Amino acid sequence: MTLVPLNGGEPEMILVTGATGNVGAEVVRALAAAGESVRALVRDTESVTLPDGVEAVAGDLSQPESLAPALDGAEAMFLLPGYPGVFGVAERAGVERAALLSSPSAQSRDLTNAVARYMVESEDAAAASALSTVVIRSSGFMSNTLQWIPQLHEGDVVRAPFADVPVAMIDPYDIAAVIALVLVDGDHAGRTYWVTGPEALRPEDRVRRLTDILGRPLRFDAQSDDDAWAEMTASMPSEYVEAFFDFYARGALDESPVLPTVREVTGREPRTFDAWATMHAGAFG
């Protein structure tokens, strides 16, 4: 995939928020590798390692006005969901285009679901702003599998909730490839894309793939809803736990569809789970 600046001109300044996260870091790498001018929004500019030529800038998404210096002179930005106030600051700074990461849960417009609500509010803020925004609704990340690392460091059993739920998980690398392209290609302005991986997998399917890739006799243990609720509420607000149970235990969100979006936008097929797991095998110990 080759990124071509708008109108074939000089690269424009692009601000990437969440620049050290699963998706943001990949967006930074994709844009930098293509020779774009990139600013990476981070909390601490001193402790971050970025690709050569990328400018680290400090800011806090939960305080939108703190982003004004980072947005100064930027023509485009990549924004994480949950921060609708950033659009107003970006508009005042003269930003013209944006790519917003979102979720298929926004389709429901269910404002009683905490996760769907912040996706909906983010998309609504984008639509109400003067920015030309492309919304990228992503199915679950393959990198979520890294949550199993502590268990695999202790033994060969993986316990996980929602055992019967298939998700067409996608490599953040592929999400970033779509985001990087739409940020520099004005032909995608105003569109909403749902991006997925090439196959729908249940947790047990992923454990079986890891068994082969890691060469370990792994076993999957389906976690009960009661145990999952107790474990999840110990680490996140209950309204978000309720949202995930609404999605996956009660079936309000179906992330099993396999869609051709990555291929249609980038011209290549998305990575398989096996390819992702092979690349990250060392992380599992």
Side-chain angles (χ1 to χ4, degrees):
M1 179 186 68
T2 301
L3 302 185
V4 180
L6 285 176
N7 303 318
E10 292 298 317
E12 298 176 315
M13 178 59 70
I14 300 173
L15 176 68
V16 178
T17 68
T20 59
N22 287 326
V23 176
E26 295 285 5
V27 174
V28 168
R29 282 191 282 269
L31 291 171
E36 301 298 321
S37 298
V38 184
R39 282 184 187 152
L41 187 75
V42 297
R43 287 184 177 271
D44 182 1
T45 59
E46 300 299 322
S47 63
V48 66
T49 300
L50 297 167
D52 291 344
V54 175
E55 176 189 359
V57 291
D60 185 347
L61 285 170
S62 65
Q63 300 178 32
E65 294 300 333
S66 74
L67 273 60
L71 289 163
D72 185 33
E75 287 88 4
M77 70 174 182
F78 162 62
L79 183 62
L80 298 174
Y83 305 97
V86 172
F87 281 98
V89 178
E91 188 173 336
R92 292 191 293 274
V95 177
E96 298 175 353
R97 305 184 313 283
L100 172 67
L101 184 63
S102 187
S103 158
S105 65
Q107 294 180 143
S108 70
R109 297 199 63 82
D110 181 3
L111 301 184
T112 67
N113 180 296
V115 173
R117 182 174 66 247
Y118 74 67
M119 300 297 178
V120 170
E121 290 175 348
S122 296
E123 291 191 14
D124 285 352
S129 78
L131 275 68
S132 178
T133 301
V134 182
V135 175
I136 309 297
R137 292 175 176 170
S138 173
S139 291
F141 301 170
M142 290 180 183
S143 55
N144 291 343
T145 308
L146 297 172
Q147 296 170 349
W148 296 345
I149 287 176
Q151 296 185 66
L152 292 179
H153 283 176
E154 293 183 0
D156 292 326
V157 178
V158 172
R159 296 186 72 237
F162 315 127
D164 296 327
V165 177
V167 175
M169 307 187 89
I170 181 169
D171 188 333
Y173 172 88
D174 291 315
I175 304 171
V178 172
I179 290 168
L181 192 147
V182 303
L183 280 171
V184 301
D185 185 346
D187 289 344
H188 301 271
R191 298 185 185 178
T192 296
Y193 291 126
W194 181 355
V195 295
T196 78
E199 59 183 333
L201 299 172
R202 299 168 301 156
E204 185 174 11
D205 299 325
R206 287 184 281 150
V207 171
R208 189 178 301 113
R209 301 292 181 83
L210 287 175
T211 295
D212 295 336
I213 290 166
L214 301 180
R216 292 173 57 181
L218 305 183
R219 179 170 63 83
F220 178 71
D221 182 12
Q223 192 175 34
S224 70
D225 285 349
D226 288 344
D227 286 350
W229 180 273
E231 183 175 304
M232 293 169 71
T233 52
S235 60
M236 72 176 75
S238 59
E239 66 173 339
Y240 293 111
V241 179
E242 173 61 30
F244 290 122
F245 268 76
D246 185 41
F247 290 157
Y248 303 123
R250 293 189 286 276
L253 176 63
D254 181 6
E255 293 182 289
S256 66
V258 173
L259 303 176
T261 315
V262 172
R263 173 175 50 78
E264 291 174 348
V265 175
T266 69
R268 61 163 180 78
E269 296 295 336
R271 287 178 175 173
T272 64
F273 179 80
D274 287 13
W276 174 89
T278 299
M279 292 181 67
H280 295 85
F284 293 95

